[in-house]
Amino acid sequence: MDAFNFAFTLFGLLLGFTLVEVLSGLAKTLQFHGRIRAGWLTPLLAIFVMLDVLSFWDGAWAARALIPVSYGTLLAGLVITGVYYLAASWIFPQSWEDGTDLDAHYLDHRRIVLPGIWACNAIPFSLLAWQAAQPMSMSGISLIGLYWVLVGTAFISRSKVVNVVALGGLIAVYLVNAFLSWNGG
């Protein structure tokens, strides 16, 4: 096992816990079907966060040659993956009762979740961009700009429709990226 794989076992474990936290909330949403108002916002946020975690995981693997393994790297990884987990723990309510409105829960908690997810991307991306030998492509810069605009829109707007569009746009960006990477693009 090389140094990166050694270090990434910790990060992978915490990212896995993050995915379990989100999937557990989705499972409860299905279990309480008909007794709660699921709406669109919380399920879309859950899907976005899962795709974001997968993207982070993929990005860490792709950047493994640029990531030095040290105590500082482990600490930074713990902070980032810990924030992912903490943000994921706010996506769904901690208690489920008949009549729970997940759209209202989203509107009350998105200002905790979205900045956390944004920071989990901004911090390592900034460090890796600074460390990279070549400048980023214009399409890469455009996608990152779109990501920031959509996350910012969801953070600022109280409109359910605007939030659905922003979250749907974020999910679409990840799905298009997955499709292009799957087809070698």
Side-chain angles (χ1 to χ4, degrees):
M1 177 183 297
D2 66 9
F4 178 83
N5 286 320
F6 168 76
F8 206 70
T9 56
L10 171 64
F11 308 148
L13 182 65
L14 290 170
L15 292 173
F17 286 155
T18 299
L19 292 174
V20 168
E21 183 74 24
V22 177
L23 288 168
S24 174
L26 287 171
K28 284 186 178 178
T29 300
L30 294 173
Q31 291 167 357
F32 278 79
H33 176 73
R35 296 173 20 208
I36 63 166
R37 289 185 290 276
W40 286 95
L41 296 173
T42 297
L44 286 173
L45 179 62
I47 292 167
F48 160 62
V49 169
M50 287 190 300
L51 293 172
D52 196 273
V53 167
L54 291 177
S55 175
F56 179 85
W57 207 320
D58 180 61
W61 177 255
R64 68 189 177 278
L66 298 172
I67 300 172
V69 177
S70 65
Y71 184 74
T73 302
L74 291 173
L75 183 58
L78 174 62
V79 168
I80 293 166
T81 58
V83 170
Y84 260 128
Y85 181 80
L86 292 172
S89 74
W90 286 87
I91 294 172
F92 291 95
Q94 295 304 305
S95 63
W96 294 73
E97 301 167 6
D98 289 352
T100 297
D101 184 345
L102 293 185
D103 279 353
H105 178 83
Y106 168 88
L107 291 170
D108 289 343
H109 294 90
R110 75 188 192 290
R111 292 194 174 183
I112 296 168
V113 176
L114 290 170
I117 300 302
W118 179 85
C120 288
N121 288 279
I123 294 166
F125 174 77
S126 299
L127 293 172
L128 289 173
W130 173 71
Q131 204 174 19
Q134 49 186 308
M136 184 179 292
S137 70
M138 196 55 155
S139 63
I141 291 170
S142 298
L143 280 177
I144 291 168
L146 178 59
Y147 174 91
W148 288 354
V149 166
L150 292 171
V151 168
T153 299
F155 177 80
I156 292 168
S157 178
R158 289 209 44 91
S159 165
K160 288 182 181 182
V161 172
V162 170
N163 275 271
V164 166
V165 170
L167 292 169
L170 288 162
I171 291 167
V173 166
Y174 281 122
L175 294 178
V176 167
N177 188 38
F179 177 77
L180 293 175
S181 69
W182 194 348
N183 290 307

